[in-house]
Amino acid sequence: MQLIIGNHNYSSWSLRAWLLLRQFDLGFDTLRIALFTPGSAKQIKSFNPAGKVPILLDNDLTIWDSLAIGEYINEQHLFGKGWPADARLRAHARSSCAEMHSGFMALRKAMPMNCRRHVDNFAISVEVQQDIDRINTLWSEALSRSGSEQFLYGNFSIADACYAPVVFRLTGYGVKQPAQLQAYCDRILALPACQEWLALAQQESEVIEEEEV
Ligand SMILES: N[C@@H](CCC(=O)N[C@@H](CS)C(=O)NCC(=O)O)C(=O)O
């Protein structure tokens, strides 16, 4: 398999797909395309006419969306282990991912993922705080429903990969979290795969001005 991603530093959707593959120790090559550089849009469109990363190539199959990549990996390579085994937890996990995929616009706009960024006292607007509160409610519900002291739904799942960029954002922008959720963030950050991603982001030199809020 080949996973086409954007910058490690900025590309949150790329991180989701990459982390899922890495955490489950699946074999894949990575092609990194530095976003918004000369020729990058054309190169991405040569794989995906929609012009977005991540893109997963598995032999002659192209999958061009992070959630669809998660579902494909779950079906074809994890035999269901990408989601919780319990149907009710699975429905909750899928809803959580769908909410991330289509929502939290205020958070995403005001606090773009920027792995190299570390600030304290970042000014948080009412709208962004509402998104953070909603995410905290959702994470608390997941942890309490699953009874997990590790990942959101017990074992590492697509949901943890989906929310990893939020963990990176909350940490980078110095957002104080309730103890139980901070502990969850710390566990995600401590994963060797997340440390690997952060190290790769540190090595990158490209700067996307719009993301440097
Ligand atoms: N819904 C898509 C979103 C993908 C997306 O927006 N990717 C961004 C990078 S994180 C991108 O390719 N941006 C390049 C561009 O818009 O030109 C997914 O989940 O894969």
Side-chain angles (χ1 to χ4, degrees):
M1 288 190 287
Q2 186 177 47
L3 185 69
I4 303 170
I5 60 171
N7 312 48
H8 295 91
N9 193 51
Y10 300 110
S11 184
S12 58
W13 297 108
S14 299
L15 166 60
R16 292 176 170 101
W18 183 93
L19 181 58
L20 183 70
L21 290 160
R22 193 49 119 225
Q23 191 61 23
F24 279 101
D25 213 11
L26 299 172
F28 67 104
D29 301 322
T30 303
L31 171 63
R32 188 190 80 104
I33 301 177
L35 301 175
F36 308 113
T37 56
S40 64
K42 193 167 168 215
Q43 194 185 0
I44 294 170
K45 280 189 181 159
S46 72
F47 296 103
N48 170 19
K52 303 279 186 200
V53 289
I55 306 156
L56 183 71
L57 307 178
D58 195 6
N59 294 314
D60 62 347
L61 182 65
T62 302
I63 307 148
W64 65 94
D65 177 273
S66 60
L67 255 188
I69 292 170
E71 292 289 3
Y72 175 76
I73 291 297
N74 176 59
E75 287 175 15
Q76 298 297 318
H77 296 275
L78 300 177
F79 311 105
K81 298 237 180 313
W83 292 116
D86 177 80
R88 294 172 67 88
L89 274 185
R90 197 160 62 244
H92 197 278
R94 281 203 165 105
S95 302
S96 300
C97 291
E99 188 171 344
M100 179 73 246
H101 206 248
S102 61
F104 304 125
M105 295 308 178
L107 174 84
R108 283 158 61 178
K109 188 156 185 263
M111 294 166 54
M113 190 177 89
N114 184 343
C115 298
R116 293 189 298 255
R117 183 101 197 258
H118 290 285
V119 286
D120 287 324
N121 303 321
F122 185 76
I124 296 174
S125 68
V126 173
E127 292 77 17
V128 173
Q129 190 59 53
Q130 281 169 354
D131 279 355
I132 294 172
D133 291 347
R134 171 66 198 139
I135 288 167
N136 285 348
T137 302
L138 196 154
W139 285 358
S140 300
E141 256 178 45
L143 290 167
S144 94
R145 281 171 187 241
S146 63
S148 171
E149 293 187 357
Q150 188 139 22
F151 299 113
L152 289 174
Y153 295 95
N155 295 328
F156 185 90
S157 75
I158 293 170
D160 298 290
C162 184
Y163 278 93
V166 173
V167 170
F168 283 21
R169 283 179 167 102
L170 295 176
T171 307
Y173 290 94
V175 178
K176 303 248 177 309
Q177 287 290 87
Q180 187 204 21
L181 302 181
Q182 186 57 53
Y184 169 70
C185 290
D186 293 345
R187 287 195 292 278
I188 293 294
L189 281 174
L191 293 174
C194 285
Q195 290 299 313
E196 182 185 347
W197 181 274
L198 289 170
L200 290 165
Q202 290 292 343
Q203 286 164 24
E204 292 175 344
S205 54
E206 302 95 3
V207 173
I208 302 178
E209 287 300 340
E210 278 176 23
E211 312 285 303
E212 296 288 330
V213 294

